[in-house]
Amino acid sequence: MKHLNLAAVSLTAVLMAGTAVAQSYPEGDIDLVVPFDPGGSVDVTSRIIAETANTILEGAEINVVNRAGGGGVVGQTTVARADPDGYTVLAMTSSVVTNPQMKGAGYAVSDFRPVALYNLDPEVIAVPASSPFETAEEFLAAAEDETMNVVVAGIATSHHMSGLAIERATGLEFSYIPTKGFGAQVQAIAGGHADAALWPLGEAASQMGSGDIRILAIASEERSEDYPDVPTFEEAGIDIPIWATFRGWAVPKGTPDEVVADLSDLMQQVSETPAYVEKMEAAGYTPTFRDSDGFSFVVDNYAEQTSAIIEEAGLGQ
Amino acid sequence: MDMILLGFQTLADPMVALMLLVGVMAGMVVGSIPGINDNIAFAVFIPFSFSMPAETALALMVGVYCAAATGGAIPAIVLKVPGTASSLLTAEDGHAMARKGLAGRALSIAITSSVVGGILSSIVLLLFAPSLARVALEFGYVENFALAILGLSSVVGLLRGNIVKGVIAALIGLLVATIGFSPMTGAARFTFGNINLIEGIPFVPLLVGLFGIAAMLDLKADVMKTRDPDAGPESLPKIGSLRLPKGLMRRLTPVWGTSAAIGNVIGMLPGAGMLMAIFLAYDQAARRFRRKFEGQPGEETWGDGAPEGVAAPEAANNAVTASSMVPLLSLGIPGNSTSALFIGALALHGMVPGPLLFTQHGNVAWMIIVSFLFANLLLWPVAWVVLRTVSRSIFAIRKEAMVGVIAMLCLMGAYSDGANLFNMWVAIAAGVVAYVMRLASIPLGPAILGLVLGPQLESSLNNSLRISNGDWLIFFDAVNHPISAGMMVASALLWIVPAAMGLRDRARAAKAAAATKDNG
């Protein structure tokens, strides 16, 4: 009996120790800084994540904080300068990589430590349904004879850079039509006012049912499950294995390893919650998960791809 | 038809219907507070909406969106401080009427016009949403440029007297719009190394400053000028009777028709927005007024209490609300910045606006459409209640205190857009500039129009020329771009007709003078 009691006590002690370690972080609420206004894609996905994460976290909450301005630079700078204690997390997007070069942001990519990735959005080539080009090959062949008008979200955005990357890979030359806002871009393509657009798959997918647009190729390593008939860039003859914008979490550099691991685990748990997966997919985003190392690899790879292009095209400030 | 019934059914849920009512009330109050507008209200509300069912959240948003455009007229008329950007023009004639003891009538015209404009556009949305959405697709870069030119040309109707000052104001607006990175090269312009200016001057704080802070300075100057230590606090104009004479209703009916039509068309076109609609409607109403009423006995002059000057912009701005949902719901293309926030709200609830919305979430899509109709029906009773309770107690505050309250609300409103301290400085600077412009009697209207249309003008011009390989005649190509060619002709007429009529009048006057001389 005594033995049993002892065992029970020690078991309780172990359990309590376990909880004590788990509870050392987070002790308070975590600010998830979205460097854009409420309602955008980063805000929406961040809120879906926070909702699920808050059902997992005990005694702490993730608060989504919108710090908009300067095309994301204001909020990104805030996090870069925040205390590296794990209580300020940035909703990190591809623009963090290019903003220092393109917009003169005061931070460097190395000021952040990637925590976890939750969404990768590969680039697609989209054309109007009325377009004469049925396949990527036809489009590329025609682009050799005649300069194509290609709609992109803006000069020096990752979409413009994906166009420059295609130019590098194929030797073609495009004429870019910078159009702010996805709505206006859809209007240009669905209305047949330009030849093609470079879009993230997530947003293009929202228009696929309309019959107004067609996608010719997707810049990912494998074909998309949702669009098995659409070839990858490589299959279509464009030597770019992957070009994707990413969304994830990052913390200021210097944040302790354990905290990064805890946050990454939290994101993993979120990503395995069925309700979360359903919500993300309904909102048009394919949820995925990569831990800190996996995310760092994606960020470094993207930085490598873009910095060469920025330099070549003379886009830097 | 079944689907429309489904929309009614969804709205019939007591919780959803209640939220629509709450939204209309909240929108009316938010709209009537200078410095806070529907944009800011949504930004604050969207995070909360997360925990509500989609139907309730969206019903509330529809209510706020519709009513805010109406509520803005209340302080515009009573204080000459527009509550929202959409009531900018209402402040002129509306406040003039209020000073003449007709505040009640002005408010009544504003609300009735809003209801008429809103209902007409709700019906258009209800009956024609999917088919009209195709019209929006006809607008490419070339058409958008022509539309911006047409919008800018509407300033002619705004200019009383000094055309040069009006043009200067429009140019100031266009120049300020160039701040921020160039859409064509990605290079930063006039940002002085400040990252807050990369995307241009933040728009919401800028508007808050131009309307709220400037009006506050105006009010302050007014208070100081008339300060008399012995006198008690000066009271604001009494609201008085809200009844509209039948004759006035009849007289305003054509104005409502034209303005609602303008609002409907402009609302559907992405990028044009509410401000352009009110300017075009105001311009049309001004022309009609000058032709029919000005100079007749018992008539006011334009800008000094003409009822059309209140009716036109108010009918137009509410017509924009529902029609801006046409391209949003059926194509996923927002008609203006406020309706763009509906995309976020929908996405938060796992719905993507666009062609699939009606098939996948037909009940919610139709509920939104039906809500617009009901929100507009609720406007009058809610406005009546708000005027008799909230507004009455607000306007009982003495002017000196009001100045401080407005200033605080404006700064809060500016800050809450992005939670950025820089925005407060933007609002203050914009307010001072607008006040100085008023002292120099440079009209603010054309400057705002320039600010709003500048980015559209620049990128649509550049992109059009890129597509046409530098051929400027593309804008007048009646075969491939008939819409653009038509709008260009219309814009030219807006400038030429008044000039020609002025010349004719001058010639007539000269002839008449010559005739009297001969006789004499």
Side-chain angles (χ1 to χ4, degrees), chain B residues 62-76:
Chain B
V62 170
V64 171
Y65 184 35
C66 281
T70 309
I74 298 174

Side-chain angles (χ1 to χ4, degrees), chain B residues 270-361:
Chain B
M274 230 180 237
L275 279 169
M276 183 153 159
I278 62 168
F279 278 107
L280 283 172
Y282 191 78
D283 176 56
Q284 283 310 307
R287 285 164 201 272
R288 184 170 183 278
F289 180 82
R290 289 192 184 125
R291 208 169 50 235
K292 293 205 142 176
F293 301 108
E294 198 158 57
Q296 289 187 14
E299 283 297 336
E300 308 292 348
T301 48
W302 186 254
D304 197 34
E308 281 85 355
V310 177
E314 287 303 317
N317 66 30
N318 272 63
V320 168
T321 54
S323 67
S324 69
M325 292 314 235
V326 170
L328 181 95
L329 291 178
S330 34
L331 300 171
I333 300 172
N336 60 38
S337 64
T338 316
S339 70
L341 288 170
F342 275 87
I343 293 187
L346 283 164
L348 270 180
H349 291 99
M351 286 174 264
V352 181
L356 299 179
L357 188 68
F358 284 91
T359 46
Q360 290 176 347
H361 303 283

